[in-house]
Amino acid sequence: MNGIASTAAVTSGRFSRIAGTGGHLPGRRLTNAELADQLALRGVETSDDWIVERTGIRARHFAADGEQCSDLAVAAARRALDAADCDVASIDLIIVATSTPDMVFPSTACIVQQKLGIAGCAAFDMQAVCSGFVYALTVADSMIRSGAANKALVIGAEVFSRLLDFDDRGTCVLFGDGAGAVVLQASDSPGLIASELHADGRYVDILCTPGSVAGGLIRGDPTLKMDGQAVFKLAVGVLEEVARSVLVKAGRNEADIDWLIPHQANIRIMQSTARKLKLSMDKVIVTVADHGNTSAASIPLALDVAVRDRRIARGDTVMLEGVGGGFTWGAVLLDY
Ligand code: UT7
């Protein structure tokens, strides 16, 4: 399969490197039992046992009514800036990966820029659903390596709770809200080693929110629809394939991976990917139990958790893997 790849296995030149990470979860935490009680009031039957057994999810966070995607993004960005010891004024690129923007337009990235009190640098959103962060990181890396940017804020932020149909137990128990961010800056050494992005629009319908705004009204259904089994099957196949392909581009192999951070949708997909790559689950960062599926935010949130609890240390080799609506998928291999 053809892919877009960043330069791989180059030993000198201009590269990008993660200088700091940040994450933010909204305050309202809902356990499976609490969600099941709320759903029961609507006549929708589910249980903690079913959700844990089929997905590994135990709780998720939901944003408060007035809390926007940009609010979560800014909180995560500020933590990443602090961790990178980076003055916000030096940021010259902002990319927000999201499918739940504050507005139809302008982009959430421009709203984040305004809330951070900076102006003038490039700012745009990346829409690749749950693969959004891997897409955004690859684009930021390309812009830094080309000299178009020096220091980027790359953010994944979502309020998926706003898209959920709470009468559909097959989807409403899966998702949560949150944001993760990194400061990505120019460096003499990698950093990002190799990446690859893919999409297959033949699968638009298996995971979508088909509504749109027209004539002042919502046209079509604005809630999330998913054929879970079809997504599951595709996900386990492409996650193995793209990881292997990126390793080949980087001139490395599975044994070189210190940490795998797959999109946090379902523990069974992560276990299957780890098994196929012959990696112990001890090397897989798992946050799905506490976060649920936060779409584009899931990978940077998991990265931030593992950096802050000191599992991921400077110099470790980390594979990030995204997969989601579109159908989209991709992977980034980096030395942290
Ligand atoms: O972020 C983008 C990527 N997304 C994903 O990777 C999601 C991929 N898909 C999945 O993770 C899984 O397919 C799900 C977790 C969504 C569903 O798990 P499954 O093992 O594929 O279950 P299923 O859809 O085959 O449903 C099995 C049964 C059905 O009942 P019957 O027909 O066997 O009587 C469902 O009605 O489980 C039932 N069910 C539930 N029962 C209790 C579905 N949802 C629930 C629920 N609580 N919440």
Side-chain angles (χ1 to χ4, degrees):
M1 179 112 34
N2 290 326
I4 303 166
S6 63
T7 310
V10 176
T11 49
S12 66
R14 186 177 159 96
F15 301 96
S16 75
R17 177 173 281 276
I18 292 177
T21 68
H24 178 74
L25 293 163
R28 190 172 152 227
R29 181 176 184 271
L30 217 58
T31 63
N32 289 344
E34 288 164 339
L35 181 60
D37 284 349
Q38 291 188 10
L39 293 177
L41 299 174
R42 314 169 69 98
V44 175
E45 199 186 319
T46 188
S47 66
D48 177 53
D49 284 351
W50 189 95
I51 302 169
V52 172
E53 190 192 313
R54 301 291 180 122
T55 72
I57 297 167
R58 293 180 183 275
R60 75 286 293 139
H61 292 246
F62 283 168
D65 269 353
E67 211 169 9
Q68 297 276 39
C69 179
S70 63
D71 297 319
L72 308 185
V74 165
R78 287 197 197 286
R79 291 201 177 123
L81 288 162
D82 277 354
D85 199 16
C86 171
D87 180 359
V88 69
S90 65
I91 293 296
D92 57 10
L93 171 66
I94 302 172
I95 308 180
V96 177
T98 188
S99 301
T100 47
D102 290 16
M103 305 180 189
V104 172
F105 70 82
S107 69
T108 302
C110 286
I111 300 168
V112 166
Q113 186 193 45
Q114 180 211 39
K115 288 182 176 174
L116 288 174
I118 53 174
C121 73
F124 59 91
D125 286 0
M126 175 64 66
Q127 220 285 35
V129 204
C130 304
S131 310
F133 185 75
V134 164
Y135 266 67
L137 202 58
T138 300
V139 169
D141 170 64
S142 301
M143 290 181 70
I144 288 174
R145 282 189 300 103
S146 74
N150 284 306
K151 210 174 262 193
L153 260 175
V154 186
I155 305 168
E158 302 280 15
V159 282
F160 254 57
S161 59
R162 308 262 157 85
L163 302 180
L164 299 178
D165 172 359
F166 287 97
D167 290 320
D168 176 10
R169 67 180 182 170
T171 55
C172 71
V173 301
L174 305 176
F175 294 90
D177 303 336
V182 301
V183 173
L184 192 72
Q185 67 182 26
S187 161
D188 293 338
S189 60
L192 266 71
I193 306 162
S195 70
E196 195 169 292
L197 306 176
H198 294 279
D200 189 339
R202 287 176 299 175
Y203 298 104
V204 160
D205 292 336
I206 65 171
L207 178 49
C208 59
T209 299
S212 62
V213 178
L217 298 170
I218 293 168
R219 180 178 292 168
D221 189 335
T223 62
L224 184 149
K225 310 286 166 219
M226 179 168 74
D227 177 345
Q229 289 191 358
V231 172
F232 193 105
K233 271 186 214 139
L234 272 170
V236 294
V238 298
L239 287 174
E240 181 196 9
E241 194 178 284
V242 76
R244 291 196 184 286
S245 183
V246 167
L247 284 169
V248 168
K249 286 197 168 108
R252 303 202 186 182
N253 59 50
E254 298 100 309
D256 295 320
I257 298 174
D258 293 310
W259 299 103
L260 178 69
I261 307 186
H263 170 49
Q264 307 284 313
N266 187 320
I267 189 68
R268 292 185 291 140
I269 296 177
M270 291 185 253
Q271 287 163 338
S272 162
T273 305
R275 216 171 18 247
K276 288 177 172 189
L277 295 175
K278 299 189 176 56
L279 292 176
S280 142
M281 280 304 285
D282 293 345
K283 290 190 163 196
V284 183
I285 307 297
V286 177
T287 52
V288 71
D290 292 324
H291 299 177
N293 180 347
T294 58
S295 190
S298 91
I299 293 172
L301 264 170
L303 173 65
D304 182 59
V305 165
V307 165
R308 282 174 197 267
D309 69 20
R310 298 179 191 278
R311 271 176 293 172
I312 295 184
R314 284 286 168 202
D316 284 356
T317 299
V318 184
M319 173 77 81
L320 312 179
E321 287 198 280
V323 61
F327 205 67
T328 55
W329 66 101
V332 172
L333 188 73
L334 59 90
D335 284 337
Y336 180 68

